[in-house]
Amino acid sequence: MSNIPSELKYASSHEWVRDEGNGVYTVGITEHAQELLGDMVFVELPEVGDEVDAGEDCAVAESVKAASDIYAPIGGEIVAINEDLEGSPELVNSDPYGDGWLFKVKASDLEELENLLDAEGYANSIDEE
């Protein structure tokens, strides 16, 4: 069973969201997702200042097995990206909920958070796969 921190929200497409305050949310992919993908070799991130819509593909995680689109779990403006991933994409594998975060988004509509899953709901969704 993958680690699924209870304080985060989840998209069924395997992204997690952490509230950083002031309407800013950190986004990454779950431990389950990185296990499915395997060892990361490259992560393509959006640009700071980009506007994304909830559900829009905005990044790509490339592993030894495949390349996978990463979707914005909520819409808004990209306010930061994890530049450490450029030289160390394996951080997504070693610390998916910490140093392996992908980008931060300033939410445009906080009601979109209600569409995300809690830890139990996400655990149930991956059990059904």
Side-chain angles (χ1 to χ4, degrees):
M1 170 63 84
S2 295
N3 177 27
I4 304 173
S6 62
E7 71 275 16
L8 305 177
K9 301 284 257 176
Y10 300 89
S12 57
S13 51
H14 308 296
E15 293 82 11
W16 58 261
V17 176
R18 180 174 56 229
D19 186 356
E20 303 294 350
N22 297 323
V24 174
Y25 293 85
T26 299
V27 176
I29 63 170
T30 65
E31 185 175 287
H32 176 74
Q34 67 83 21
E35 287 172 351
L36 290 175
L37 289 167
D39 294 338
M40 293 294 155
V41 294
F42 181 74
V43 180
E44 181 182 328
L45 296 171
E47 298 284 329
V48 171
D50 283 357
E51 293 283 339
V52 296
D53 293 323
E56 177 182 338
D57 62 287
C58 63
V60 176
E62 216 174 300
S63 71
V64 293
K65 292 182 182 174
S68 180
D69 288 334
I70 297 170
Y71 301 94
I74 56 173
E77 180 185 354
I78 304 297
V79 295
I81 59 170
N82 187 351
E83 295 178 359
D84 291 342
L85 296 180
E86 187 174 319
S88 302
E90 68 277 7
L91 289 171
V92 174
N93 297 114
S94 62
D95 194 7
Y97 300 112
D99 290 341
W101 64 278
L102 301 177
F103 57 87
K104 297 183 182 197
V105 60
K106 175 98 175 160
S108 59
D109 182 358
L110 294 177
E111 290 185 12
E112 290 176 349
L113 291 162
E114 296 172 16
N115 298 328
L116 300 176
L117 302 167
D118 61 13
E120 183 180 345
Y122 180 69
N124 290 337
S125 78
I126 60 175
D127 282 347
E128 293 169 3
E129 287 183 350

mmCIF file of all heavy atoms in Angstrom, residues 28-71:
data_model
loop_
_atom_site.group_PDB
_atom_site.id
_atom_site.type_symbol
_atom_site.label_atom_id
_atom_site.label_comp_id
_atom_site.label_asym_id
_atom_site.label_seq_id
_atom_site.Cartn_x
_atom_site.Cartn_y
_atom_site.Cartn_z
ATOM 1 N N GLY A 28 2.101 17.931 -6.675
ATOM 2 C CA GLY A 28 3.061 16.885 -7.004
ATOM 3 C C GLY A 28 2.307 15.663 -7.480
ATOM 4 O O GLY A 28 1.084 15.693 -7.624
ATOM 5 N N ILE A 29 3.027 14.578 -7.727
ATOM 6 C CA ILE A 29 2.350 13.322 -8.047
ATOM 7 C C ILE A 29 2.505 12.388 -6.864
ATOM 8 O O ILE A 29 3.466 12.476 -6.102
ATOM 9 C CB ILE A 29 2.842 12.668 -9.355
ATOM 10 C CG1 ILE A 29 4.312 12.282 -9.286
ATOM 11 C CG2 ILE A 29 2.553 13.573 -10.538
ATOM 12 C CD1 ILE A 29 4.772 11.423 -10.468
ATOM 13 N N THR A 30 1.564 11.487 -6.715
ATOM 14 C CA THR A 30 1.521 10.624 -5.537
ATOM 15 C C THR A 30 2.614 9.555 -5.596
ATOM 16 O O THR A 30 3.174 9.252 -6.651
ATOM 17 C CB THR A 30 0.159 9.926 -5.430
ATOM 18 O OG1 THR A 30 0.002 9.048 -6.541
ATOM 19 C CG2 THR A 30 -0.977 10.935 -5.382
ATOM 20 N N GLU A 31 2.849 8.976 -4.442
ATOM 21 C CA GLU A 31 3.797 7.860 -4.362
ATOM 22 C C GLU A 31 3.352 6.722 -5.268
ATOM 23 O O GLU A 31 4.168 6.103 -5.960
ATOM 24 C CB GLU A 31 3.901 7.387 -2.909
ATOM 25 C CG GLU A 31 4.945 6.324 -2.696
ATOM 26 C CD GLU A 31 5.111 5.974 -1.240
ATOM 27 O OE1 GLU A 31 5.684 6.793 -0.505
ATOM 28 O OE2 GLU A 31 4.651 4.884 -0.834
ATOM 29 N N HIS A 32 2.048 6.469 -5.283
ATOM 30 C CA HIS A 32 1.497 5.423 -6.141
ATOM 31 C C HIS A 32 1.839 5.702 -7.609
ATOM 32 O O HIS A 32 2.281 4.792 -8.339
ATOM 33 C CB HIS A 32 -0.022 5.353 -5.949
ATOM 34 C CG HIS A 32 -0.713 4.392 -6.847
ATOM 35 N ND1 HIS A 32 -0.637 3.024 -6.668
ATOM 36 C CD2 HIS A 32 -1.503 4.583 -7.936
ATOM 37 C CE1 HIS A 32 -1.341 2.430 -7.610
ATOM 38 N NE2 HIS A 32 -1.877 3.348 -8.394
ATOM 39 N N ALA A 33 1.660 6.955 -8.045
ATOM 40 C CA ALA A 33 1.935 7.312 -9.441
ATOM 41 C C ALA A 33 3.409 7.141 -9.773
ATOM 42 O O ALA A 33 3.755 6.583 -10.828
ATOM 43 C CB ALA A 33 1.495 8.751 -9.712
ATOM 44 N N GLN A 34 4.296 7.606 -8.890
ATOM 45 C CA GLN A 34 5.724 7.482 -9.201
ATOM 46 C C GLN A 34 6.145 6.017 -9.208
ATOM 47 O O GLN A 34 7.026 5.630 -9.951
ATOM 48 C CB GLN A 34 6.591 8.372 -8.296
ATOM 49 C CG GLN A 34 6.639 8.016 -6.837
ATOM 50 C CD GLN A 34 7.642 6.929 -6.514
ATOM 51 O OE1 GLN A 34 8.566 6.674 -7.266
ATOM 52 N NE2 GLN A 34 7.431 6.267 -5.389
ATOM 53 N N GLU A 35 5.487 5.175 -8.384
ATOM 54 C CA GLU A 35 5.797 3.743 -8.410
ATOM 55 C C GLU A 35 5.373 3.119 -9.740
ATOM 56 O O GLU A 35 6.077 2.274 -10.290
ATOM 57 C CB GLU A 35 5.095 3.026 -7.258
ATOM 58 C CG GLU A 35 5.717 3.309 -5.899
ATOM 59 C CD GLU A 35 4.915 2.745 -4.727
ATOM 60 O OE1 GLU A 35 3.778 2.264 -4.930
ATOM 61 O OE2 GLU A 35 5.412 2.818 -3.612
ATOM 62 N N LEU A 36 4.223 3.557 -10.255
ATOM 63 C CA LEU A 36 3.762 3.041 -11.546
ATOM 64 C C LEU A 36 4.694 3.448 -12.680
ATOM 65 O O LEU A 36 4.957 2.671 -13.591
ATOM 66 C CB LEU A 36 2.351 3.547 -11.852
ATOM 67 C CG LEU A 36 1.208 3.001 -11.005
ATOM 68 C CD1 LEU A 36 -0.091 3.708 -11.372
ATOM 69 C CD2 LEU A 36 1.064 1.497 -11.180
ATOM 70 N N LEU A 37 5.170 4.698 -12.617
ATOM 71 C CA LEU A 37 6.004 5.210 -13.698
ATOM 72 C C LEU A 37 7.418 4.643 -13.669
ATOM 73 O O LEU A 37 8.045 4.459 -14.705
ATOM 74 C CB LEU A 37 6.054 6.739 -13.635
ATOM 75 C CG LEU A 37 4.764 7.443 -14.029
ATOM 76 C CD1 LEU A 37 4.818 8.910 -13.636
ATOM 77 C CD2 LEU A 37 4.541 7.308 -15.530
ATOM 78 N N GLY A 38 7.948 4.424 -12.489
ATOM 79 C CA GLY A 38 9.328 3.966 -12.382
ATOM 80 C C GLY A 38 10.283 5.141 -12.281
ATOM 81 O O GLY A 38 9.866 6.275 -12.009
ATOM 82 N N ASP A 39 11.560 4.871 -12.503
ATOM 83 C CA ASP A 39 12.588 5.888 -12.297
ATOM 84 C C ASP A 39 12.431 7.061 -13.258
ATOM 85 O O ASP A 39 12.442 6.893 -14.477
ATOM 86 C CB ASP A 39 13.973 5.267 -12.477
ATOM 87 C CG ASP A 39 14.287 4.239 -11.402
ATOM 88 O OD1 ASP A 39 13.662 4.305 -10.317
ATOM 89 O OD2 ASP A 39 15.151 3.365 -11.653
ATOM 90 N N MET A 40 12.324 8.259 -12.684
ATOM 91 C CA MET A 40 12.177 9.480 -13.487
ATOM 92 C C MET A 40 13.503 9.829 -14.163
ATOM 93 O O MET A 40 14.568 9.747 -13.534
ATOM 94 C CB MET A 40 11.781 10.664 -12.594
ATOM 95 C CG MET A 40 10.415 10.574 -11.994
ATOM 96 S SD MET A 40 9.135 10.647 -13.238
ATOM 97 C CE MET A 40 7.860 9.795 -12.329
ATOM 98 N N VAL A 41 13.403 10.215 -15.413
ATOM 99 C CA VAL A 41 14.605 10.654 -16.125
ATOM 100 C C VAL A 41 14.500 12.119 -16.553
ATOM 101 O O VAL A 41 15.495 12.771 -16.848
ATOM 102 C CB VAL A 41 14.900 9.767 -17.348
ATOM 103 C CG1 VAL A 41 15.258 8.354 -16.901
ATOM 104 C CG2 VAL A 41 13.734 9.722 -18.317
ATOM 105 N N PHE A 42 13.273 12.665 -16.576
ATOM 106 C CA PHE A 42 13.083 14.058 -16.984
ATOM 107 C C PHE A 42 11.693 14.498 -16.555
ATOM 108 O O PHE A 42 10.747 13.707 -16.600
ATOM 109 C CB PHE A 42 13.206 14.166 -18.513
ATOM 110 C CG PHE A 42 13.049 15.566 -19.034
ATOM 111 C CD1 PHE A 42 14.059 16.507 -18.867
ATOM 112 C CD2 PHE A 42 11.897 15.950 -19.689
ATOM 113 C CE1 PHE A 42 13.913 17.795 -19.346
ATOM 114 C CE2 PHE A 42 11.746 17.239 -20.179
ATOM 115 C CZ PHE A 42 12.758 18.157 -20.015
ATOM 116 N N VAL A 43 11.587 15.739 -16.111
ATOM 117 C CA VAL A 43 10.286 16.318 -15.776
ATOM 118 C C VAL A 43 10.172 17.658 -16.484
ATOM 119 O O VAL A 43 11.026 18.538 -16.314
ATOM 120 C CB VAL A 43 10.106 16.506 -14.251
ATOM 121 C CG1 VAL A 43 8.742 17.105 -13.949
ATOM 122 C CG2 VAL A 43 10.276 15.174 -13.517
ATOM 123 N N GLU A 44 9.170 17.786 -17.328
ATOM 124 C CA GLU A 44 8.903 19.047 -18.023
ATOM 125 C C GLU A 44 7.836 19.787 -17.246
ATOM 126 O O GLU A 44 6.730 19.271 -17.058
ATOM 127 C CB GLU A 44 8.425 18.771 -19.453
ATOM 128 C CG GLU A 44 8.160 20.036 -20.240
ATOM 129 C CD GLU A 44 7.633 19.723 -21.641
ATOM 130 O OE1 GLU A 44 8.011 18.691 -22.204
ATOM 131 O OE2 GLU A 44 6.832 20.524 -22.138
ATOM 132 N N LEU A 45 8.171 20.985 -16.772
ATOM 133 C CA LEU A 45 7.265 21.750 -15.924
ATOM 134 C C LEU A 45 6.685 22.934 -16.683
ATOM 135 O O LEU A 45 7.266 23.392 -17.672
ATOM 136 C CB LEU A 45 8.024 22.245 -14.685
ATOM 137 C CG LEU A 45 8.543 21.129 -13.769
ATOM 138 C CD1 LEU A 45 9.463 21.712 -12.705
ATOM 139 C CD2 LEU A 45 7.386 20.378 -13.133
ATOM 140 N N PRO A 46 5.560 23.468 -16.207
ATOM 141 C CA PRO A 46 5.015 24.672 -16.843
ATOM 142 C C PRO A 46 5.920 25.874 -16.545
ATOM 143 O O PRO A 46 6.871 25.767 -15.767
ATOM 144 C CB PRO A 46 3.645 24.826 -16.164
ATOM 145 C CG PRO A 46 3.795 24.146 -14.843
ATOM 146 C CD PRO A 46 4.769 23.020 -15.065
ATOM 147 N N GLU A 47 5.643 27.010 -17.151
ATOM 148 C CA GLU A 47 6.398 28.232 -16.903
ATOM 149 C C GLU A 47 5.718 29.017 -15.782
ATOM 150 O O GLU A 47 4.486 29.047 -15.707
ATOM 151 C CB GLU A 47 6.418 29.098 -18.174
ATOM 152 C CG GLU A 47 7.084 28.462 -19.363
ATOM 153 C CD GLU A 47 8.601 28.451 -19.277
ATOM 154 O OE1 GLU A 47 9.159 29.391 -18.667
ATOM 155 O OE2 GLU A 47 9.205 27.488 -19.789
ATOM 156 N N VAL A 48 6.506 29.670 -14.957
ATOM 157 C CA VAL A 48 5.938 30.581 -13.958
ATOM 158 C C VAL A 48 5.181 31.676 -14.712
ATOM 159 O O VAL A 48 5.678 32.226 -15.700
ATOM 160 C CB VAL A 48 7.054 31.196 -13.080
ATOM 161 C CG1 VAL A 48 6.490 32.300 -12.182
ATOM 162 C CG2 VAL A 48 7.696 30.104 -12.230
ATOM 163 N N GLY A 49 3.978 31.942 -14.280
ATOM 164 C CA GLY A 49 3.130 32.938 -14.946
ATOM 165 C C GLY A 49 2.088 32.313 -15.852
ATOM 166 O O GLY A 49 1.131 32.983 -16.249
ATOM 167 N N ASP A 50 2.261 31.029 -16.197
ATOM 168 C CA ASP A 50 1.255 30.337 -17.014
ATOM 169 C C ASP A 50 -0.069 30.271 -16.260
ATOM 170 O O ASP A 50 -0.095 30.131 -15.037
ATOM 171 C CB ASP A 50 1.694 28.890 -17.323
ATOM 172 C CG ASP A 50 2.747 28.793 -18.401
ATOM 173 O OD1 ASP A 50 3.115 29.835 -18.982
ATOM 174 O OD2 ASP A 50 3.221 27.659 -18.660
ATOM 175 N N GLU A 51 -1.163 30.370 -16.993
ATOM 176 C CA GLU A 51 -2.490 30.147 -16.424
ATOM 177 C C GLU A 51 -2.937 28.751 -16.833
ATOM 178 O O GLU A 51 -2.826 28.390 -18.004
ATOM 179 C CB GLU A 51 -3.492 31.182 -16.965
ATOM 180 C CG GLU A 51 -3.226 32.601 -16.512
ATOM 181 C CD GLU A 51 -3.657 32.885 -15.085
ATOM 182 O OE1 GLU A 51 -4.515 32.152 -14.547
ATOM 183 O OE2 GLU A 51 -3.131 33.850 -14.495
ATOM 184 N N VAL A 52 -3.405 27.975 -15.873
ATOM 185 C CA VAL A 52 -3.874 26.616 -16.172
ATOM 186 C C VAL A 52 -5.311 26.463 -15.688
ATOM 187 O O VAL A 52 -5.742 27.125 -14.755
ATOM 188 C CB VAL A 52 -2.978 25.539 -15.512
ATOM 189 C CG1 VAL A 52 -1.568 25.589 -16.079
ATOM 190 C CG2 VAL A 52 -2.936 25.689 -14.010
ATOM 191 N N ASP A 53 -6.033 25.582 -16.365
ATOM 192 C CA ASP A 53 -7.388 25.223 -15.951
ATOM 193 C C ASP A 53 -7.341 23.878 -15.251
ATOM 194 O O ASP A 53 -6.493 23.033 -15.563
ATOM 195 C CB ASP A 53 -8.311 25.114 -17.174
ATOM 196 C CG ASP A 53 -8.525 26.451 -17.851
ATOM 197 O OD1 ASP A 53 -8.610 27.470 -17.143
ATOM 198 O OD2 ASP A 53 -8.604 26.479 -19.099
ATOM 199 N N ALA A 54 -8.264 23.669 -14.337
ATOM 200 C CA ALA A 54 -8.352 22.378 -13.656
ATOM 201 C C ALA A 54 -8.544 21.280 -14.697
ATOM 202 O O ALA A 54 -9.375 21.400 -15.599
ATOM 203 C CB ALA A 54 -9.507 22.373 -12.664
ATOM 204 N N GLY A 55 -7.743 20.219 -14.593
ATOM 205 C CA GLY A 55 -7.834 19.103 -15.520
ATOM 206 C C GLY A 55 -6.992 19.248 -16.767
ATOM 207 O O GLY A 55 -6.905 18.327 -17.577
ATOM 208 N N GLU A 56 -6.342 20.405 -16.941
ATOM 209 C CA GLU A 56 -5.513 20.648 -18.126
ATOM 210 C C GLU A 56 -4.144 19.998 -17.942
ATOM 211 O O GLU A 56 -3.548 20.107 -16.873
ATOM 212 C CB GLU A 56 -5.350 22.166 -18.298
ATOM 213 C CG GLU A 56 -4.463 22.583 -19.443
ATOM 214 C CD GLU A 56 -4.315 24.103 -19.520
ATOM 215 O OE1 GLU A 56 -5.177 24.834 -18.998
ATOM 216 O OE2 GLU A 56 -3.304 24.529 -20.084
ATOM 217 N N ASP A 57 -3.640 19.336 -18.990
ATOM 218 C CA ASP A 57 -2.286 18.807 -18.869
ATOM 219 C C ASP A 57 -1.313 19.969 -18.934
ATOM 220 O O ASP A 57 -1.400 20.814 -19.813
ATOM 221 C CB ASP A 57 -1.993 17.742 -19.933
ATOM 222 C CG ASP A 57 -2.080 18.256 -21.339
ATOM 223 O OD1 ASP A 57 -3.215 18.492 -21.809
ATOM 224 O OD2 ASP A 57 -1.027 18.437 -21.955
ATOM 225 N N CYS A 58 -0.422 20.035 -17.967
ATOM 226 C CA CYS A 58 0.465 21.195 -17.871
ATOM 227 C C CYS A 58 1.921 20.815 -17.614
ATOM 228 O O CYS A 58 2.771 21.686 -17.537
ATOM 229 C CB CYS A 58 -0.038 22.152 -16.795
ATOM 230 S SG CYS A 58 -0.046 21.454 -15.147
ATOM 231 N N ALA A 59 2.194 19.533 -17.467
ATOM 232 C CA ALA A 59 3.565 19.082 -17.246
ATOM 233 C C ALA A 59 3.670 17.652 -17.758
ATOM 234 O O ALA A 59 2.656 17.004 -18.026
ATOM 235 C CB ALA A 59 3.919 19.151 -15.762
ATOM 236 N N VAL A 60 4.911 17.175 -17.887
ATOM 237 C CA VAL A 60 5.148 15.807 -18.340
ATOM 238 C C VAL A 60 6.216 15.180 -17.452
ATOM 239 O O VAL A 60 7.251 15.786 -17.194
ATOM 240 C CB VAL A 60 5.625 15.775 -19.815
ATOM 241 C CG1 VAL A 60 5.950 14.354 -20.245
ATOM 242 C CG2 VAL A 60 4.589 16.397 -20.741
ATOM 243 N N ALA A 61 5.926 13.983 -16.979
ATOM 244 C CA ALA A 61 6.909 13.203 -16.223
ATOM 245 C C ALA A 61 7.377 12.083 -17.125
ATOM 246 O O ALA A 61 6.578 11.288 -17.606
ATOM 247 C CB ALA A 61 6.278 12.643 -14.951
ATOM 248 N N GLU A 62 8.683 12.059 -17.385
ATOM 249 C CA GLU A 62 9.247 11.047 -18.259
ATOM 250 C C GLU A 62 10.073 10.095 -17.410
ATOM 251 O O GLU A 62 10.967 10.506 -16.679
ATOM 252 C CB GLU A 62 10.146 11.731 -19.295
ATOM 253 C CG GLU A 62 10.095 11.092 -20.647
ATOM 254 C CD GLU A 62 10.882 11.889 -21.671
ATOM 255 O OE1 GLU A 62 10.547 13.069 -21.906
ATOM 256 O OE2 GLU A 62 11.839 11.329 -22.205
ATOM 257 N N SER A 63 9.744 8.815 -17.515
ATOM 258 C CA SER A 63 10.461 7.805 -16.733
ATOM 259 C C SER A 63 11.091 6.798 -17.676
ATOM 260 O O SER A 63 10.936 6.889 -18.890
ATOM 261 C CB SER A 63 9.488 7.100 -15.786
ATOM 262 O OG SER A 63 8.613 6.273 -16.532
ATOM 263 N N VAL A 64 11.770 5.818 -17.086
ATOM 264 C CA VAL A 64 12.369 4.779 -17.907
ATOM 265 C C VAL A 64 11.302 3.944 -18.618
ATOM 266 O O VAL A 64 11.579 3.332 -19.640
ATOM 267 C CB VAL A 64 13.291 3.858 -17.076
ATOM 268 C CG1 VAL A 64 14.508 4.629 -16.597
ATOM 269 C CG2 VAL A 64 12.547 3.241 -15.903
ATOM 270 N N LYS A 65 10.085 3.961 -18.094
ATOM 271 C CA LYS A 65 9.003 3.170 -18.687
ATOM 272 C C LYS A 65 8.180 3.930 -19.714
ATOM 273 O O LYS A 65 7.746 3.367 -20.712
ATOM 274 C CB LYS A 65 8.040 2.683 -17.592
ATOM 275 C CG LYS A 65 8.604 1.663 -16.642
ATOM 276 C CD LYS A 65 7.535 1.235 -15.662
ATOM 277 C CE LYS A 65 8.054 0.243 -14.643
ATOM 278 N NZ LYS A 65 7.043 -0.041 -13.620
ATOM 279 N N ALA A 66 7.885 5.221 -19.437
ATOM 280 C CA ALA A 66 6.962 5.962 -20.287
ATOM 281 C C ALA A 66 6.992 7.441 -19.953
ATOM 282 O O ALA A 66 7.552 7.847 -18.941
ATOM 283 C CB ALA A 66 5.537 5.435 -20.071
ATOM 284 N N ALA A 67 6.345 8.229 -20.797
ATOM 285 C CA ALA A 67 6.114 9.641 -20.500
ATOM 286 C C ALA A 67 4.641 9.774 -20.136
ATOM 287 O O ALA A 67 3.781 9.167 -20.767
ATOM 288 C CB ALA A 67 6.452 10.507 -21.698
ATOM 289 N N SER A 68 4.372 10.544 -19.109
ATOM 290 C CA SER A 68 3.003 10.675 -18.634
ATOM 291 C C SER A 68 2.656 12.133 -18.424
ATOM 292 O O SER A 68 3.438 12.884 -17.821
ATOM 293 C CB SER A 68 2.853 9.902 -17.318
ATOM 294 O OG SER A 68 1.542 10.010 -16.837
ATOM 295 N N ASP A 69 1.494 12.552 -18.934
ATOM 296 C CA ASP A 69 1.032 13.916 -18.707
ATOM 297 C C ASP A 69 0.677 14.089 -17.235
ATOM 298 O O ASP A 69 0.177 13.172 -16.585
ATOM 299 C CB ASP A 69 -0.209 14.219 -19.547
ATOM 300 C CG ASP A 69 0.117 14.362 -21.020
ATOM 301 O OD1 ASP A 69 1.273 14.714 -21.357
ATOM 302 O OD2 ASP A 69 -0.793 14.136 -21.842
ATOM 303 N N ILE A 70 0.909 15.285 -16.742
ATOM 304 C CA ILE A 70 0.504 15.656 -15.385
ATOM 305 C C ILE A 70 -0.532 16.753 -15.533
ATOM 306 O O ILE A 70 -0.320 17.727 -16.257
ATOM 307 C CB ILE A 70 1.712 16.124 -14.560
ATOM 308 C CG1 ILE A 70 2.705 14.958 -14.428
ATOM 309 C CG2 ILE A 70 1.270 16.648 -13.201
ATOM 310 C CD1 ILE A 70 4.032 15.345 -13.856
ATOM 311 N N TYR A 71 -1.646 16.580 -14.841
ATOM 312 C CA TYR A 71 -2.776 17.494 -14.975
ATOM 313 C C TYR A 71 -2.855 18.445 -13.792
ATOM 314 O O TYR A 71 -2.542 18.066 -12.658
ATOM 315 C CB TYR A 71 -4.074 16.684 -15.087
ATOM 316 C CG TYR A 71 -4.059 15.742 -16.261
ATOM 317 C CD1 TYR A 71 -3.654 14.424 -16.114
ATOM 318 C CD2 TYR A 71 -4.395 16.198 -17.533
ATOM 319 C CE1 TYR A 71 -3.597 13.564 -17.197
ATOM 320 C CE2 TYR A 71 -4.339 15.348 -18.622
ATOM 321 C CZ TYR A 71 -3.947 14.030 -18.454
ATOM 322 O OH TYR A 71 -3.879 13.186 -19.534
#
